[in-house]
Amino acid sequence: MYTSSLIKSYSLFMLSLIVMGLGISLVTLAYLGTTPITSPPFTASFSVPISFGMLTMLMNFIFVLIQIILLGKEFKREQYLQLLVGPVLGVAIDGWSLIISLYLTENYLVKLGMVILGCIIIALSTIIQLKANVVNNPAEGIVKAIAYKTNKEFGDIKLYFDITLVIIALIISYVTLGEIQGVREGTIISAIIIGPMIRKFQQVFL
């Protein structure tokens, strides 16, 4: 019974990553910016011959490595499974992007709709992860680790972390392209609405 429950939890977690890949792809391919958390790999994808999904995978590996360094022996053994998140999410992003790219439009209202729909899907995927309750998403895990080590509130660290990632994305874009790309109104919209959506969905589904 325990094994069956564990398999179900991990299956839910993997499903959440595939769903999250769809949400990220929708926001990104609206070309109104991307989510704060994915802004560095997205801006980097304009100047290196590596896909957005694979760069996101690399970023997640870095997040796990930083957690291991920060927490040392306090990094729980089961959290090494976070290393699976990068490949699954990266492949999901690239796969969904191939499909969505077949239906792109220049209509600004449709693009805004893509951003909002993508944010809703990302929020729902986060709820699925919380429901699975197995391992941290690396982006969440690194914020938890920093909050734990600095004795600060998770929400405060999350805000600073997202701002830092956007600044890094802006620097990458300016240094490599000589202009700002990949950070636009869609980035601001997703930063503002995903958190409240998650809280609202938690009240309904959890």
Side-chain angles (χ1 to χ4, degrees), residues 3-200:
T3 302
S4 176
S5 177
L6 197 61
I7 291 174
K8 181 179 179 181
S9 294
Y10 278 105
S11 298
L12 266 179
F13 186 74
M14 291 301 168
L15 173 63
S16 76
L17 297 178
I18 296 171
V19 174
M20 181 172 284
L22 172 59
I24 291 171
S25 298
L26 279 168
V27 174
T28 304
L29 289 181
Y31 290 108
L32 299 179
T34 187
T35 65
I37 199 72
T38 55
S39 55
F42 183 56
T43 53
S45 70
F46 290 119
S47 55
V48 297
I50 305 174
S51 71
F52 172 41
M54 293 304 99
L55 287 170
T56 301
M57 177 181 71
L58 177 60
M59 182 183 69
N60 277 288
F61 284 152
I62 293 171
F63 287 167
V64 177
L65 178 60
I66 292 173
Q67 289 178 63
I68 294 170
I69 293 171
L70 284 176
L71 297 175
K73 293 181 179 179
E74 294 179 283
F75 186 78
K76 296 180 180 179
R77 185 177 300 176
E78 63 267 22
Q79 291 301 330
Y80 279 100
L81 290 170
Q82 289 183 47
L83 293 170
L84 294 174
V85 172
V88 175
L89 182 60
V91 170
I93 289 173
D94 283 347
W96 284 118
S97 294
L98 284 174
I99 296 171
I100 295 169
S101 63
L102 299 174
Y103 304 97
L104 295 182
T105 177
E106 292 301 316
N107 186 296
Y108 186 77
L109 290 178
V110 174
K111 289 183 175 184
L112 280 178
M114 288 174 63
V115 171
I116 294 171
L117 177 60
C119 289
I120 293 171
I121 292 172
I122 291 170
L124 286 171
S125 71
T126 303
I127 295 301
I128 298 173
Q129 287 182 17
L130 293 173
K131 185 75 173 178
N133 192 30
V134 282
V135 298
N136 293 323
N137 185 304
E140 178 187 357
I142 188 174
V143 174
K144 285 184 176 179
I146 295 171
Y148 173 72
K149 280 298 184 178
T150 59
N151 198 29
K152 302 292 185 181
E153 291 292 332
F154 176 87
D156 293 337
I157 297 298
K158 172 65 174 170
L159 176 61
Y160 299 143
F161 186 67
D162 285 353
I163 292 172
T164 300
L165 290 177
V166 172
I167 291 172
I168 290 172
L170 291 171
I171 293 171
I172 291 173
S173 181
Y174 188 76
V175 169
T176 60
L177 302 172
E179 60 181 358
I180 302 302
Q181 287 193 31
V183 179
R184 287 183 52 182
E185 60 267 40
T187 307
I188 297 172
I189 291 170
S190 59
I192 292 173
I193 70 174
I194 290 178
M197 281 181 178
I198 291 172
R199 288 192 288 273
K200 178 60 69 174

